[in-house]
Amino acid sequence: MSEKNINLTLNIWRQESPEAKGYFEKFEKEISPDASILEVLDEINNRLEFEGKEPIAFESDCREGICGACGLVINGQPHGPLPKTATCQLHMRNFKDGDTLYIEPFRATAFKILKDLIVDRSGFDKIQVAGGFVSFNTGSAPDGNVILISKEMADQALDAAECIGCGACVAACKNSSAMLFVGAKVSQFALLPQGQPERYERVQAMVKVMDENLFGSCTNTYACEAECPKGISVLNIARMNRDYFMAKLKTGTNE
Amino acid sequence: MNRLNQFFNSSIGKKLVMAITGIFLILFLVFHLINNLMLFGGPEFFNENVARLDSIKPLIRVMEIILALIFIYHTYTGLKLWWENKKANPEKYAVNANKENSTIYSRTMTITGSLIFIFLVIHLYTIWVKYNFGMEGSEDYFEVIKIHFANPIWAAFYFIIMIFIGFHINHAFQSSFQSLGWSHKKYTPIVKKIGTVIAIILAVGFASIPVYFFYISFGGQG
Ligand code: HEM
């Protein structure tokens, strides 16, 4: 709490509506190094509201890096320059006095810009609805530890399940591919016994909806893994590819 | 059929096509390099070996057709993917931070691939057509290469393209493993290194030929 305030030039994307033409609005601001980037936006918005102007629209919820709501591109990098950090955890002490920042929404055909920094990520929801679940019959709760799972498998499944669905992978990808997201969602179930009955239907259904929603395909640049705030591994994409081939080879698993 | 169609039109299916055709193309390049390095054995050695291949001409013709189909399918699918991916991501960011999160080799696959394609058309038109239809009874295949690379423009063109082939393969080799669904914490870094070694051997191996012939065209010792 001791460091001096810094002066930054912020170029922030403004766009009235999905159809409107967007532009960068420039703000010169003195900022505490302890503020997070979302707090900087809050401060700017306070001033804008005070002046009777339209505040900057952006999304955020938990502000502790676990909900995936806040997704901004800062100087060309989703969630900014720090690895494995969500936008809300990016503090201004990571920038130097006099720096210029460009703050933009995630850009992809599949993520339509709704307003300013807010994009429509419902494509992810559609993929999830297609297969990102396991089906259970209701009844009394099963006993714990009836189905044994090796530590290694459990670890890998939990690593995949860390995905918060923020969309940074799509935003980072030169093809706007959603494969890291879908790979993680497919893997978290494919690795566990509970996910087996629907394993091959799941991967086919999710990939189909992914393709239908105008996400690109994978060139294996691995930019997604580098920008993912949760460090989801591209290993999950390979697993999805493999399951997809297997599904197509097996009989009775296509719709 | 519907099932197959669906598979080959899916994003993952197209990548499988790229990976399998690409691996065959790398395999071809390895054999092509071995063949070409025979140039360093001198005119007699090289000409004898080219003539020997003549005795299995029918087999070679069949392989050429298969290779051409693989090449065309790889190029077609590559360009299709490029087009679709461009549509999926039409707008760029104000600041280009690509180099922070990916390699130049991976981002330039379409460019290096297209250059290879242009090169190949020219290469076939000059060397392959000459060997197959333009020898006029002569069997001095070595001489054709020698004359070709005495021209500094040809030598430089081949040299530069070989660097780009190296770029393409450096990314492509490991990428095909990933596309085929094989990724491993411990082994994938090794696969990446093997890919780089293969890329360097192929690029340096092929590039050494124009360099050598350009050098001897000045009366350097062959
Ligand atoms: C000597 C010739 C060539 C070899 C050995 C070769 C090899 C490969 C290999 C092994 C891959 C990896 C596939 C994967 O990512 O799973 C690849 C990808 C690719 N190749 Fe080639 N290739 C050659 C020529 C070409 C040509 C002529 C084009 C024309 C455009 C091309 C365009 C591409 C593209 C665009 C990709 C990446 C596709 C993507 O991931 O989106 N290649 N190549």
mmCIF file of all heavy atoms in Angstrom, chain B residues 23 25 43-44 59 89 104 157 170 173 176 185 197 201 206:
data_model
loop_
_atom_site.group_PDB
_atom_site.id
_atom_site.type_symbol
_atom_site.label_atom_id
_atom_site.label_comp_id
_atom_site.label_asym_id
_atom_site.label_seq_id
_atom_site.Cartn_x
_atom_site.Cartn_y
_atom_site.Cartn_z
ATOM 1 N N ILE B 23 1.787 -36.350 -42.767
ATOM 2 C CA ILE B 23 2.807 -37.334 -42.388
ATOM 3 C C ILE B 23 3.322 -38.066 -43.632
ATOM 4 O O ILE B 23 4.525 -38.309 -43.794
ATOM 5 C CB ILE B 23 2.231 -38.339 -41.356
ATOM 6 C CG1 ILE B 23 2.079 -37.664 -39.986
ATOM 7 C CG2 ILE B 23 3.107 -39.573 -41.240
ATOM 8 C CD1 ILE B 23 3.373 -37.354 -39.274
ATOM 9 N N LEU B 25 3.412 -36.854 -46.605
ATOM 10 C CA LEU B 25 4.245 -35.905 -47.360
ATOM 11 C C LEU B 25 5.645 -35.816 -46.746
ATOM 12 O O LEU B 25 6.642 -35.745 -47.457
ATOM 13 C CB LEU B 25 3.581 -34.531 -47.414
ATOM 14 C CG LEU B 25 2.302 -34.447 -48.268
ATOM 15 C CD1 LEU B 25 1.671 -33.068 -48.177
ATOM 16 C CD2 LEU B 25 2.584 -34.803 -49.716
ATOM 17 N N PRO B 43 28.249 -37.218 -61.291
ATOM 18 C CA PRO B 43 27.362 -37.430 -62.436
ATOM 19 C C PRO B 43 27.071 -38.908 -62.710
ATOM 20 O O PRO B 43 25.911 -39.289 -62.866
ATOM 21 C CB PRO B 43 28.130 -36.818 -63.611
ATOM 22 C CG PRO B 43 29.180 -35.967 -63.018
ATOM 23 C CD PRO B 43 29.430 -36.436 -61.634
ATOM 24 N N GLU B 44 28.128 -39.740 -62.732
ATOM 25 C CA GLU B 44 27.910 -41.150 -63.098
ATOM 26 C C GLU B 44 26.999 -41.850 -62.110
ATOM 27 O O GLU B 44 26.028 -42.501 -62.480
ATOM 28 C CB GLU B 44 29.245 -41.893 -63.153
ATOM 29 C CG GLU B 44 29.828 -41.929 -64.544
ATOM 30 C CD GLU B 44 31.304 -42.213 -64.497
ATOM 31 O OE1 GLU B 44 31.688 -43.226 -63.881
ATOM 32 O OE2 GLU B 44 32.085 -41.387 -65.056
ATOM 33 N N LEU B 59 5.579 -48.721 -61.428
ATOM 34 C CA LEU B 59 5.390 -48.561 -59.988
ATOM 35 C C LEU B 59 5.543 -47.090 -59.605
ATOM 36 O O LEU B 59 4.764 -46.542 -58.812
ATOM 37 C CB LEU B 59 6.419 -49.421 -59.246
ATOM 38 C CG LEU B 59 6.319 -49.370 -57.726
ATOM 39 C CD1 LEU B 59 4.994 -49.942 -57.242
ATOM 40 C CD2 LEU B 59 7.482 -50.105 -57.076
ATOM 41 N N ASN B 89 -12.752 -15.704 -37.236
ATOM 42 C CA ASN B 89 -11.988 -14.693 -36.496
ATOM 43 C C ASN B 89 -11.592 -13.547 -37.420
ATOM 44 O O ASN B 89 -10.441 -13.416 -37.806
ATOM 45 C CB ASN B 89 -10.744 -15.350 -35.879
ATOM 46 C CG ASN B 89 -9.941 -14.374 -35.054
ATOM 47 O OD1 ASN B 89 -10.275 -13.213 -34.945
ATOM 48 N ND2 ASN B 89 -8.860 -14.850 -34.472
ATOM 49 N N ILE B 104 6.035 -18.608 -34.255
ATOM 50 C CA ILE B 104 5.836 -18.086 -35.609
ATOM 51 C C ILE B 104 5.561 -19.238 -36.582
ATOM 52 O O ILE B 104 4.794 -19.086 -37.525
ATOM 53 C CB ILE B 104 7.047 -17.248 -36.064
ATOM 54 C CG1 ILE B 104 6.792 -16.662 -37.460
ATOM 55 C CG2 ILE B 104 8.340 -18.048 -36.083
ATOM 56 C CD1 ILE B 104 7.484 -15.372 -37.707
ATOM 57 N N PHE B 157 16.028 -19.070 -55.123
ATOM 58 C CA PHE B 157 14.622 -19.432 -54.949
ATOM 59 C C PHE B 157 14.486 -20.768 -54.207
ATOM 60 O O PHE B 157 13.755 -20.881 -53.219
ATOM 61 C CB PHE B 157 13.958 -19.498 -56.331
ATOM 62 C CG PHE B 157 12.511 -19.931 -56.305
ATOM 63 C CD1 PHE B 157 11.562 -19.191 -55.605
ATOM 64 C CD2 PHE B 157 12.096 -21.070 -56.989
ATOM 65 C CE1 PHE B 157 10.230 -19.587 -55.591
ATOM 66 C CE2 PHE B 157 10.762 -21.466 -56.980
ATOM 67 C CZ PHE B 157 9.833 -20.721 -56.270
ATOM 68 N N ASN B 170 8.627 -28.016 -38.948
ATOM 69 C CA ASN B 170 8.953 -27.831 -37.541
ATOM 70 C C ASN B 170 7.678 -27.796 -36.691
ATOM 71 O O ASN B 170 7.602 -28.402 -35.623
ATOM 72 C CB ASN B 170 9.741 -26.536 -37.357
ATOM 73 C CG ASN B 170 10.195 -26.335 -35.929
ATOM 74 O OD1 ASN B 170 10.511 -27.304 -35.238
ATOM 75 N ND2 ASN B 170 10.206 -25.104 -35.473
ATOM 76 N N PHE B 173 5.155 -31.541 -37.613
ATOM 77 C CA PHE B 173 5.417 -32.894 -37.118
ATOM 78 C C PHE B 173 4.735 -33.123 -35.773
ATOM 79 O O PHE B 173 3.923 -34.031 -35.607
ATOM 80 C CB PHE B 173 6.927 -33.139 -37.013
ATOM 81 C CG PHE B 173 7.277 -34.556 -36.662
ATOM 82 C CD1 PHE B 173 7.187 -35.556 -37.612
ATOM 83 C CD2 PHE B 173 7.679 -34.895 -35.379
ATOM 84 C CE1 PHE B 173 7.494 -36.871 -37.301
ATOM 85 C CE2 PHE B 173 7.996 -36.206 -35.054
ATOM 86 C CZ PHE B 173 7.899 -37.196 -36.013
ATOM 87 N N SER B 176 0.841 -32.951 -35.906
ATOM 88 C CA SER B 176 0.083 -34.103 -36.395
ATOM 89 C C SER B 176 -0.156 -35.119 -35.275
ATOM 90 O O SER B 176 -1.196 -35.767 -35.232
ATOM 91 C CB SER B 176 0.782 -34.745 -37.594
ATOM 92 O OG SER B 176 2.069 -35.142 -37.247
ATOM 93 N N LYS B 185 2.523 -35.734 -21.330
ATOM 94 C CA LYS B 185 3.340 -34.793 -20.545
ATOM 95 C C LYS B 185 4.827 -34.997 -20.774
ATOM 96 O O LYS B 185 5.578 -34.066 -20.956
ATOM 97 C CB LYS B 185 3.033 -34.989 -19.051
ATOM 98 C CG LYS B 185 2.015 -34.023 -18.506
ATOM 99 C CD LYS B 185 2.221 -33.832 -17.001
ATOM 100 C CE LYS B 185 1.324 -32.731 -16.470
ATOM 101 N NZ LYS B 185 -0.081 -33.137 -16.392
ATOM 102 N N VAL B 197 14.386 -31.575 -35.367
ATOM 103 C CA VAL B 197 15.552 -32.215 -35.984
ATOM 104 C C VAL B 197 15.219 -32.638 -37.427
ATOM 105 O O VAL B 197 15.998 -32.377 -38.356
ATOM 106 C CB VAL B 197 16.012 -33.438 -35.142
ATOM 107 C CG1 VAL B 197 17.054 -34.257 -35.899
ATOM 108 C CG2 VAL B 197 16.571 -32.969 -33.806
ATOM 109 N N ILE B 201 17.094 -31.269 -40.740
ATOM 110 C CA ILE B 201 17.762 -32.189 -41.672
ATOM 111 C C ILE B 201 17.197 -32.007 -43.084
ATOM 112 O O ILE B 201 17.948 -31.901 -44.063
ATOM 113 C CB ILE B 201 17.597 -33.660 -41.207
ATOM 114 C CG1 ILE B 201 18.412 -33.892 -39.930
ATOM 115 C CG2 ILE B 201 18.044 -34.623 -42.307
ATOM 116 C CD1 ILE B 201 18.230 -35.268 -39.321
ATOM 117 N N PHE B 206 18.106 -30.420 -48.351
ATOM 118 C CA PHE B 206 17.639 -29.958 -49.671
ATOM 119 C C PHE B 206 18.360 -28.676 -50.088
ATOM 120 O O PHE B 206 18.734 -28.516 -51.245
ATOM 121 C CB PHE B 206 16.125 -29.706 -49.650
ATOM 122 C CG PHE B 206 15.314 -30.967 -49.775
ATOM 123 C CD1 PHE B 206 14.437 -31.370 -48.778
ATOM 124 C CD2 PHE B 206 15.398 -31.747 -50.919
ATOM 125 C CE1 PHE B 206 13.683 -32.529 -48.894
ATOM 126 C CE2 PHE B 206 14.644 -32.910 -51.060
ATOM 127 C CZ PHE B 206 13.789 -33.291 -50.039
#
